[in-house]
Amino acid sequence: MAFVTTKQMMALADRGGYAIGAFNVENMEMVKAVIKAAEQMEAPVILQTTPSTVKYAGLSLYYANVKAAAENVKVPVALHLDHGNSYGLAIQAMYTGYTSVMIDGSKELLEENIALTKRVVDACSAVGVPVEAELGKVGGKEDDSECNDPGYTEPEDAVRFVAETGVQSLAVAIGTAHGIYKGEPKLDVDRLSEIRKRVDVPLVLHGASGVPAELVQECIRRGISKVNFATELRIAYSEGLKEYLKKDPNVFDPKKYGAAAMGYVTELVCQKIALCGSQGKA
Ligand code: 13P
């Protein structure tokens, strides 16, 4: 049984100078593929679902899939609500059995983001579920949610936000964006160091698909303890499936192309775990 919260794994990563890979999953195949990679790499891992993914199949289905898969492995596995977009959804995820919750009030004004996050933290801490929040705005498109006016996290605001909300981890906006980058992303890593110096909770990097490996590692060196990957997994899954169907267009057994898609995702996740430095940390 290795179904755990994100609290201890992130605290250990924070102290150990590496990061936990957090991978967005959409279906049973992706769940299995990510957990298989974590097992192969002996790495703690976070699987996460966004609100649009939850809309697709329901919180309980992802919970049941991840819990069942986690029970068969020795590595620590956490299930996290990514970009929870309302108090209600955050609380439902907690009740369903998610072991970690993000409330994303980053579109709100600072005061409102603080108030919303604090409400979720108060409810979740009663049952020991850690909460991630976002301050500043990560740009780009993540499922149904699009941000066209990104804004960097102000270190001073981060200090106040963490003190007033009691949040367990903080997603920072330093120039990454969700989805595909048009050019090479330019990250404000000095801002990250400044936030790290002033805030003592683990920090989270969103929008890591397409960020060059050295840049992700630089962010980890400067204090990131959780790195989110979604778009690259979706691409890998789709590529695996398309390749299989191209080779054998007459196939009608979903297990066949499902296995091919899983193989692509597992391979990618192993690479990302190595990049995060969490290999062998289970
Ligand atoms: P990418 O889609 O850019 O990997 O971002 C993932 C993410 O931050 C999920 O919250």
Side-chain angles (χ1 to χ4, degrees), residues 24 48 82-83 142 177-179 206-209 228-231:
N24 286 69
Q48 51 191 21
D82 188 27
H83 293 287
E142 172 64 45
H178 296 113
H206 280 244
S209 288
N228 285 8
F229 300 95
T231 304

Side-chain angles (χ1 to χ4, degrees), residues 36-272:
K36 185 173 175 189
E39 205 181 7
Q40 277 176 13
M41 301 294 279
E42 297 178 1
V45 74
I46 300 169
L47 285 79
Q48 51 191 21
T49 61
T50 58
S52 84
T53 303
V54 168
K55 217 190 292 168
Y56 175 63
L59 289 162
S60 341
L61 188 128
Y62 294 109
Y63 168 74
N65 270 246
V66 174
K67 184 154 190 294
E71 270 167 2
N72 293 320
V73 294
K74 292 206 177 71
V75 298
V77 176
L79 175 60
H80 174 76
L81 175 69
D82 188 27
H83 293 287
N85 53 5
S86 68
Y87 178 79
L89 183 59
I91 301 306
Q92 276 171 35
M94 174 191 81
Y95 271 117
T96 303
Y98 274 52
T99 57
S100 180
V101 161
M102 177 183 186
I103 181 70
D104 182 357
S106 62
K107 289 201 180 90
E108 312 296 332
L109 295 172
L110 178 63
E111 312 288 333
E112 287 155 19
N113 191 358
I114 289 174
L116 173 64
T117 302
K118 186 169 178 350
R119 268 181 87 203
V120 175
V121 170
D122 287 347
C124 289
S125 59
V127 287
V129 170
V131 177
E132 173 185 329
E134 180 170 316
L135 188 62
K137 292 180 195 162
V138 175
K141 184 164 165 52
E142 172 64 45
D143 286 350
D144 290 344
S145 170
E146 188 156 7
C147 172
N148 295 317
D149 72 0
Y152 288 179
T153 308
E154 292 302 335
E156 259 168 58
D157 290 347
V159 173
R160 179 178 165 205
F161 188 87
V162 169
E164 291 188 17
T165 59
V167 78
Q168 279 76 30
S169 61
L170 185 67
V172 290
I174 54 163
T176 54
H178 296 113
I180 309 275
Y181 290 93
K182 294 206 178 78
E184 176 135 331
K186 300 231 173 346
L187 306 191
D188 188 347
V189 289
D190 290 335
R191 179 181 297 267
L192 171 59
S193 295
E194 188 57 29
I195 299 168
R196 173 70 295 175
K197 229 190 317 172
R198 299 177 62 175
V199 157
D200 61 0
V201 296
L203 302 178
V204 181
L205 186 70
H206 280 244
S209 288
V211 177
E214 321 76 66
L215 204 46
V216 173
Q217 282 172 333
E218 173 77 18
C219 290
I220 296 169
R221 272 195 297 278
R222 287 175 183 254
I224 288 290
S225 320
K226 171 177 179 263
V227 183
N228 285 8
F229 300 95
T231 304
E232 283 189 66
L233 268 75
R234 294 177 187 137
I235 293 172
Y237 180 85
S238 307
E239 284 301 316
L241 201 132
K242 284 187 265 188
E243 283 293 315
Y244 194 96
L245 289 172
K246 200 160 78 184
K247 268 191 247 144
D248 186 359
N250 297 320
V251 65
F252 54 84
D253 181 350
K255 295 191 287 300
K256 294 264 169 43
Y257 45 81
M262 279 196 273
Y264 273 53
V265 173
T266 298
E267 197 183 319
L268 176 77
V269 172
C270 285
Q271 288 165 19
K272 298 302 184 192

Side-chain angles (χ1 to χ4, degrees), residues 11-19 217 220-221 223-225 276-277 281:
L12 290 174
D14 198 21
R15 264 181 263 146
Y18 60 95
Q217 282 172 333
I220 296 169
R221 272 195 297 278
I224 288 290
S225 320
C276 287
K281 305 288 188 191

